């Protein structure tokens, strides 16, 4: 599988393209060498035959037909290996001299050249060979064939062709191996960038892409990306600092304002004025709840306070939360079910985990209509502890599931309900601290009420297992501040 992914990389495809171009270049070069070499050897053979023909023609002009026959017989006698081929016949193909008996069959060019095989069909008594000859007519109605044994030349050509084929095969194999190794090296460096980028996207904003110090293209790319990340983190920290400072600075005067309104509510006798004061106190409580939530999320994300993680029974914690909210669900006539494995434990902060669990259960009750269904489950899957809340409420559209963890983001259907869009942001921050992953999915197929199923997987606690590293936890609120289910509902 890893090999297939390696073959699909752009670096390997680029190396494959280079291999094709390189192999084509090598093939053209070898083909040119073969064409020149073979052509040169063939030209040498033809020149040798032409030289013999010139000598026979000179002998014929000086001594006539008898002299031609004598020189052919003399040359045949001096050549026991029969490298030269001769045949002199009359016009009716009666042999006069030569070392073959009959005219060979084969395609004959306009210039008289013919390629044929020396075998029994031409009266050849030796082993079968290839030959090349030229045929022409001699004055007096005679026919003359002069040729050469080209078997060695043909074998040499075949040897060259085989060498070229093997050379091409080796070239392709080496090019393929080189392309694979080159793409593997490139893929490794790209994978380092991808892995670091994925971890950064998962919230580890302090990570940076490593460089090798070679100042090559990848180092320059990594440095540019790191500078871009530094700038993004700087801007995000600036915005976060401003929002957190506003929340922190306004919380104290809002608290005083809320207390003054509450004192006014207790002192006025007019019913209408008391109702207005009560509404103002409720609005102040909502604003204070929003600011408290912002500060809690900020502390979770920045990990400002540290505390040792301790083993926590997730099953018992969820059971306590279910007991707390079961009465609320009964008031809305909802079917509240829970299946909790009390043996499931994780390593974490109990207060934060209870806040996360309570927030999700409260949301399920809030966004599920009357007579709806809510199911809470805790189970163990492999090495993970799984906490799951499902409901038959309005659900979240698929295109918004990745956005609901942003601060103040609210789904369109829920904007008319109380809340400020910080609940799932807090859940996400708590889950991240506990190295958990969150998955949102539809709980039902009902188009109007598809429901929502929130599944959080966290590493299950096992004695002897290495404790969570670099985790920062903090209490649910400021010192002296308590978190209640009523406050969680406002998130």
């Amino acid at each position: 599988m890893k090999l297939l992914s390696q073959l699909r990389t752009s670096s390997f495809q680029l190396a494959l393209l280079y291999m094709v171009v390189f192999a084509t270049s090598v093939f053209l070069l070898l083909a040119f060498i073969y064409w020149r070499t073979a052509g040169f050897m063939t030209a040498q053979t033809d020149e040798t035959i032409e030289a013999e023909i010139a000598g026979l023609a000179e002998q014929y002009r000086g001594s006539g037909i008898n002299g031609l026959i004598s020189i052919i017989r003399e040359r045949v006698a001096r050549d026991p290996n029969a490298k030269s081929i001769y045949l002199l016949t009359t016009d009716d193909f009666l042999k006069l001299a030569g070392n073959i008996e009959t005219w060979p069959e084969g395609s004959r060019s306009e210039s008289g050249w013919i390629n044929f095989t020396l075998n029994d069909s031409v009266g050849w008594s030796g082993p079968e060979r290839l030959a090349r000859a030229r045929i022409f007519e001699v004055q007096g109605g005679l026919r003359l064939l002069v040729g050469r044994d080209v078997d060695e030349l043909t074998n040499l050509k075949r040897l060259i062709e085989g060498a070229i084929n093997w050379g091409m095969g080796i070239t392709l194999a080496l090019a393929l191996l080189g392309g694979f190794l080159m793409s593997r090296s490139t893929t490794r460096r790209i994978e380092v960038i991808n892995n670091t980028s994925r971890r950064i996207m998962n919230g580890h904003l302090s990570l940076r892409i490593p460089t090798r110090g070679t100042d090559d293209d990848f180092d320059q790319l990594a440095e540019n990306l790191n500078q871009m990340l530094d700038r993004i983190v700087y801007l995000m920290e600036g915005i976060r600092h401003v929002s957190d400072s506003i929340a922190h600075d306004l919380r104290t005067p809002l608290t005083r304002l809320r207390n003054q309104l509450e004192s006014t509510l207790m002192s006025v006798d007019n019913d209408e004025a008391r109702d207005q004061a009560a509404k103002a106190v409720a609005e102040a409580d909502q604003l204070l709840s929003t600011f408290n939530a912002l500060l809690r999320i900020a502390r979770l994300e920045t990990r400002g306070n540290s505390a040792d993680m301790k083993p926590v029974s997730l099953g018992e914690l969820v059971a306590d939360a279910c007991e707390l909210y079961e009465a609320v669900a009964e008031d809305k006539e909802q079917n509240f079910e829970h299946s909790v494995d009390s043996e499931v434990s994780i390593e974490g902060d109990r207060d934060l985990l209870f806040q996360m669990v309570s927030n999700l259960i409260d949301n399920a009750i809030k966004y599920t209509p009357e007579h709806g269904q809510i199911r809470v489950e805790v189970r163990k899957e492999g090495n993970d502890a799984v906490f799951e809340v499902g409901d038959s409420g309005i659900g979240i559209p698929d295109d918004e599931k990745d956005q609901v963890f942003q601060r103040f983001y609210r789904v369109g259907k829920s904007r008319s309900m109380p809340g400020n869009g910080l609940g799932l942001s807090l859940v996400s921050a708590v889950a991240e601290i506990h190295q958990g992953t969150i998955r949102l999915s539809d709980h039902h197929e009902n188009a109007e009420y598809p429901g929502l199923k929130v599944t959080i997987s966290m590493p299950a606690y096992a004695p002897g297992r290495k404790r969570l590293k670099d985790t920062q936890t903090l209490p649910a609120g400021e010192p002296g501040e308590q978190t209640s289910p009523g406050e969680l509902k406002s998130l």
Side-chain angles (χ1 to χ4, degrees), residues 9-179:
T9 59
S10 58
S11 56
F12 180 80
Q13 294 175 0
L14 182 62
L16 189 64
L17 177 62
Y18 172 77
M19 181 193 72
V20 172
V21 174
F22 177 72
T24 303
S25 302
V26 172
F27 174 77
L28 293 176
L29 176 62
L30 294 179
F32 175 76
I33 293 174
Y34 172 76
W35 173 68
R36 293 293 296 173
T37 303
F40 175 74
M41 292 188 296
T42 301
Q44 274 192 326
T45 301
D46 292 349
E47 288 177 1
T48 301
I49 295 174
E50 292 285 359
E52 291 198 18
I53 292 175
L56 292 176
E58 184 178 354
Q59 186 67 28
Y60 176 73
R61 286 193 296 269
S63 304
I65 187 61
N66 292 328
L68 179 60
I69 295 174
S70 298
I71 192 63
I72 290 176
R73 290 175 178 175
E74 181 181 348
R75 290 185 177 182
V76 170
R78 289 201 311 262
D79 186 15
N81 295 325
K83 293 297 182 181
S84 297
I85 309 299
Y86 304 97
L87 179 62
L88 177 64
T89 67
T90 61
D91 187 34
D92 54 358
F93 303 105
L94 178 63
K95 177 182 176 182
L96 299 178
N99 49 9
I100 60 175
E101 302 298 327
T102 60
W103 288 95
E105 296 180 359
S107 59
R108 181 177 174 182
S109 66
E110 296 180 357
S111 59
W113 291 99
I114 184 173
N115 296 309
F116 61 97
T117 303
L118 294 171
N119 53 25
D120 296 340
S121 63
V122 295
W124 181 258
S125 57
E128 186 173 296
R129 298 180 181 178
L130 296 176
R132 176 175 174 79
R134 186 176 181 186
I135 301 173
F136 54 91
E137 295 182 355
V138 182
Q139 293 180 356
L142 301 179
R143 298 175 182 274
L144 177 63
L145 179 146
V146 180
R148 293 283 296 178
D149 177 3
V150 294
D151 196 67
E152 292 183 358
L153 175 61
T154 303
N155 291 334
L156 182 58
K157 287 182 179 179
R158 290 174 181 172
L159 181 64
I160 295 174
E161 291 173 357
I164 290 176
N165 292 334
W166 276 102
M168 283 299 302
I170 294 174
T171 299
L172 290 175
L174 292 177
L176 184 63
L177 178 61

Side-chain angles (χ1 to χ4, degrees), residues 313-316 318-319 338-346 375-390 437 439 441 443 453-461:
S313 174
L314 183 63
E316 295 179 0
V318 173
H338 53 88
S339 174
V340 176
D341 184 355
S342 59
E343 301 296 326
V344 177
S345 299
I346 66 172
R375 178 172 177 80
V376 180
E377 184 176 357
V378 174
R379 63 182 183 274
K380 188 174 182 180
E381 292 182 356
N383 295 325
D384 291 337
V386 178
F387 166 62
E388 190 171 83
V389 180
T437 58
R439 184 174 69 255
S441 58
H443 196 217
K453 181 164 66 175
V454 182
T455 305
I456 301 180
S457 300
M458 295 171 286
Y461 173 75

Side-chain angles (χ1 to χ4, degrees), residues 189-292:
R189 300 198 65 179
I190 294 176
E191 191 60 28
V192 170
I193 298 176
N194 288 333
N195 289 334
T196 307
S197 301
R198 281 191 288 267
R199 295 184 64 188
I200 292 173
M201 288 188 293
N202 289 332
H204 301 277
L205 298 180
S206 61
L207 293 178
R208 292 296 179 266
I209 300 171
T211 59
R212 292 185 175 181
T214 57
D215 200 30
D216 58 4
D217 295 343
F218 285 101
D219 272 7
Q220 295 178 14
L221 174 62
E223 290 174 358
N224 290 334
L225 290 176
N226 290 337
Q227 292 176 8
M228 180 184 68
L229 289 170
D230 291 338
R231 183 63 177 170
I232 291 174
V233 170
Y234 174 77
L235 295 175
M236 289 177 60
E237 290 297 331
I239 295 174
R240 182 179 297 171
H241 178 72
V242 170
S243 62
D244 295 342
S245 298
I246 291 174
H248 186 274
D249 294 341
L250 290 182
R251 188 174 60 169
T252 299
L254 273 175
T255 302
R256 289 198 297 266
L257 176 62
R258 191 252 182 214
N259 293 335
Q260 291 174 3
L261 289 172
E262 191 172 22
S263 298
T264 303
L265 175 64
M266 297 175 62
S267 62
V268 297
D269 296 331
N270 187 289
D271 292 339
E272 182 178 354
R274 184 179 291 106
D275 290 340
Q276 294 294 330
K279 292 180 180 178
V281 169
E283 291 293 337
D285 286 339
Q286 178 66 22
L287 288 174
L288 283 173
S289 175
T290 299
F291 288 142
N292 287 333

Side-chain angles (χ1 to χ4, degrees), residues 300 305-312 317 346-356 430 433-434 468 471-476:
L300 288 174
N305 298 325
S306 62
D308 291 334
M309 293 289 190
K310 298 179 181 179
V312 177
L317 184 145
I346 66 172
E347 188 181 10
D349 185 292
R350 181 180 178 85
D351 293 335
L352 291 178
L353 290 171
F354 189 85
Q355 191 169 11
M356 178 186 72
V430 175
I433 283 181
H434 292 83
L468 298 180
T471 53
Q472 308 288 336
T473 61
L474 51 142

